[in-house]
Amino acid sequence: MLTEPHSRFTLVYGNRASSSSVLFKEELTDLKDRYMTRLNLVYVMSREQQDIALFNGRITGEKCTQILAHWVPVDDIDLAFICGP
């Protein structure tokens, strides 16, 4: 983030358990707090109810479409990484 001061990042993090079991949660929160205007964290929990219905359940193609429509400006994306089983 230091070498790209104008870059912005969104992490959509799916977890099948609950927010208390998110790997690297403290580290991610520290990064978000450090780069508040540049890093957006979106947690999707499959077994814990979130305040926003979109963030409940598994990440599906439809859910990705909705997240991109409401949280990530698609026209601004230069590069995307996908990781998962």
Side-chain angles (χ1 to χ4, degrees), residues 57-70:
R58 295 181 181 262
I59 298 176
T60 63
E62 176 60 29
K63 192 174 296 275
C64 285
T65 299
Q66 291 180 20
I67 289 170
L68 289 172
H70 299 287

Side-chain angles (χ1 to χ4, degrees), residues 1-9 27-41:
M1 289 189 147
L2 296 175
T3 59
E4 293 287 335
H6 301 291
S7 294
R8 294 179 306 146
F9 304 85
E27 292 85 348
L28 290 169
T29 299
D30 289 345
L31 282 172
K32 180 186 66 71
D33 292 346
R34 185 173 177 187
Y35 299 103
M36 291 178 71
T37 60
R38 298 179 49 212
L39 177 60
N40 182 27
L41 297 176

Side-chain angles (χ1 to χ4, degrees), residues 46-76:
S46 65
R47 296 182 187 163
E48 178 181 286
Q49 291 298 306
Q50 305 295 308
D51 293 336
I52 299 173
L54 179 60
F55 301 153
N56 296 322
R58 295 181 181 262
I59 298 176
T60 63
E62 176 60 29
K63 192 174 296 275
C64 285
T65 299
Q66 291 180 20
I67 289 170
L68 289 172
H70 299 287
W71 289 89
V72 181
V74 177
D75 293 339
D76 292 347

